[in-house]
Amino acid sequence: MNTVEARSSVRLESADTVRSAAATRWAKRTFDVAGALALLVLFAPVIALAAARIHLHDRGPVLFRQRRVGRDGEHFRCLKLRSMVVDAEDLLPDLQTRSGHTEGLFKLRDDPRITRPGVWLRRFSLDELPQLVNVLRGEMSLVGPRPPLPTEVSAYTDEMQRRLRVRPGMTGLWQVSGRSELSWDEAIRLDLHYVDNWSMLQDLVILARTFTAVMSGRGAY
């Protein structure tokens, strides 16, 4: 093969790779939208019941909106059914100091800020159902790395930045592998593995494993 033919072959292979990557992204996005719509319809009665229970408990807001970091570092408001007291964010610094928390997402077993409705909401991850709206908006995916807080991202190394190449997910390897029982390093390792080895088959396997993980309640607090 002469030089001209070699260059043409490289260009064709490059174009095929770009088209394949684009088709894969669109396939994942289409799956996300269809799946989120179906799940919203399926769980609408559960969301309505949970919302009523939250409001009747303390007459506070039903939804909790928290700023998270999405794909390519874009910030968005992550939606959850409120499972904690209204002033939970104000109480956070004191709890972090008392528990010796230094990095990663703060999780405390028997967190005193969790309300009575919040206990069962978290037990079965029902508090995360409103994130289906985030999926429809294109801010999240059904499967992906856990959506990080801005404070977490500010401490990222160059390697950790790879987590931001894809949309964060409602579930992922972190959830089916132990959730809150994972160390910070383990959670990062799983997220990077997902980003570097993504496939639609892997997404389907994770979604299937999520049901088992949710029902077992392992690491849910």
Side-chain angles (χ1 to χ4, degrees):
M1 180 182 296
N2 60 38
T3 303
V4 174
E5 291 175 332
R7 289 175 178 173
S8 297
S9 177
V10 170
R11 284 198 295 270
L12 286 173
E13 290 179 2
S14 177
D16 288 342
T17 300
V18 170
R19 283 195 293 268
S20 177
T24 300
R25 286 195 297 270
W26 276 108
K28 181 174 174 64
R29 180 63 186 145
T30 300
F31 179 78
D32 280 342
V33 172
L37 285 172
L39 290 171
L40 271 175
V41 172
L42 178 65
F43 286 104
V46 176
I47 295 173
L49 177 63
R53 184 70 182 88
I54 293 167
H55 180 69
L56 290 174
H57 175 70
D58 59 11
R59 304 295 176 177
V62 169
L63 287 177
F64 174 65
R65 298 172 175 86
Q66 188 175 47
R67 191 168 60 146
R68 297 291 181 110
V69 182
R71 183 180 179 184
D72 297 328
E74 292 290 328
H75 288 204
F76 68 98
R77 291 290 177 180
C78 186
L79 304 176
K80 285 190 175 187
L81 289 170
R82 183 172 60 85
S83 61
M84 292 187 173
V85 295
V86 177
D87 59 346
E89 292 290 274
D90 296 331
L91 300 175
L92 179 59
D94 181 58
L95 284 175
Q96 288 178 322
T97 299
R98 283 160 43 189
S99 65
H101 175 75
T102 57
E103 64 176 1
L105 183 66
F106 178 72
K107 287 282 188 176
L108 182 66
R109 192 182 293 273
D110 298 323
D111 193 319
R113 300 173 299 164
I114 299 177
T115 62
R116 278 181 294 177
V119 172
W120 65 271
L121 285 174
R122 285 170 169 255
R123 169 66 175 76
F124 297 107
S125 297
L126 298 177
D127 58 320
E128 298 177 1
L129 288 176
Q131 291 171 23
L132 291 168
V133 175
N134 289 121
V135 174
L136 292 177
R137 291 175 179 173
E139 298 160 339
M140 293 182 65
S141 177
L142 291 177
V143 182
R146 183 186 59 76
L149 294 163
T151 51
E152 295 175 53
V153 175
S154 66
Y156 274 6
T157 63
D158 290 341
E159 182 183 27
M160 293 178 184
Q161 290 288 338
R162 297 208 312 279
R163 294 178 82 220
L164 305 179
R165 291 180 181 174
V166 300
R167 292 184 180 92
M170 290 183 63
T171 186
L173 285 175
W174 48 274
Q175 186 173 44
V176 301
S177 302
R179 290 191 277 187
S180 299
E181 293 182 351
L182 296 174
S183 69
W184 173 241
D185 289 339
E186 288 173 327
I188 290 292
R189 178 180 57 81
L190 288 172
D191 282 344
L192 292 179
H193 176 83
Y194 175 84
V195 171
D196 294 339
N197 300 277
W198 178 85
S199 71
M200 281 299 299
L201 178 59
Q202 180 180 222
D203 275 10
L204 293 174
V205 170
I206 290 173
L207 285 171
R209 290 178 60 192
T210 296
F211 177 77
T212 303
V214 168
M215 294 308 295
S216 71
R218 180 189 171 195
Y221 55 85

